[in-house]
């Protein structure tokens, strides 16, 4: 909830956590904070780090797909939504149909 209400403060608290005990959850929160303040490029990187720790996060692939689409990386977005769908994220099918048909 702090991430949504005060992303800057959340990032201050998360930085030492990531430095000392990095993990998927901390990187997900940092990505959400970066996304909230409009730093989509860093949010994409944070989601990538989270996926390095746990590659079976359908929601992370789905969310990163939206960021990639917004950044103009349609191929990357489609890649992420395909992974999200493969991991059981139902809404990913809609995004694949809308943006990834050739």
């Amino acid at each position: 909830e702090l991430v949504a209400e005060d992303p800057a403060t959340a990032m201050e608290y998360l930085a030492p956590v990531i430095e000392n005990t990095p993990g998927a959850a901390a990187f997900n929160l940092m990505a959400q904070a970066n996304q909230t303040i409009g730093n989509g490029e860093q949010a994409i990187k944070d989601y990538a780090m989270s996926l390095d720790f746990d590659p079976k996060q359908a929601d992370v692939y789905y969310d990163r797909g939206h960021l990639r689409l917004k950044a103009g990386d349609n191929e990357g977005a489609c890649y992420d939504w395909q992974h999200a769908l493969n991991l059981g994220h139902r809404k990913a099918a809609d995004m694949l149909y809308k943006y990834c048909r050739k």
Side-chain angles (χ1 to χ4, degrees):
E1 202 169 305
L2 179 61
V3 171
E5 291 177 11
D6 188 358
T9 301
M11 292 168 79
E12 286 180 35
Y13 286 116
L14 287 167
V17 172
I18 286 175
E19 187 174 318
N20 296 317
T21 55
F27 278 108
N28 285 341
L29 289 171
M30 188 65 89
Q32 291 168 18
N34 273 304
Q35 186 174 358
T36 300
I37 64 169
N39 191 353
E41 186 176 318
Q42 185 58 49
I44 290 170
K45 292 176 185 176
D46 292 335
Y47 279 138
M49 291 298 295
S50 174
L51 290 166
D52 285 346
F53 282 98
D54 180 5
K56 297 190 184 263
Q57 300 178 83
D59 287 339
V60 171
Y61 279 111
Y62 183 76
D63 292 343
R64 189 175 72 171
H66 285 285
L67 288 170
R68 284 179 155 182
L69 181 69
K70 188 175 181 180
D73 180 7
N74 287 24
E75 187 176 329
C78 294
Y79 171 89
D80 281 348
W81 292 325
Q82 186 61 57
H83 276 286
L85 182 64
N86 292 346
L87 292 169
H89 199 292
R90 294 179 186 256
K91 290 182 181 178
D94 294 337
M95 301 311 289
L96 285 164
Y97 181 79
K98 187 172 183 180
Y99 295 103
C100 304
R101 293 183 299 159
K102 296 189 179 196

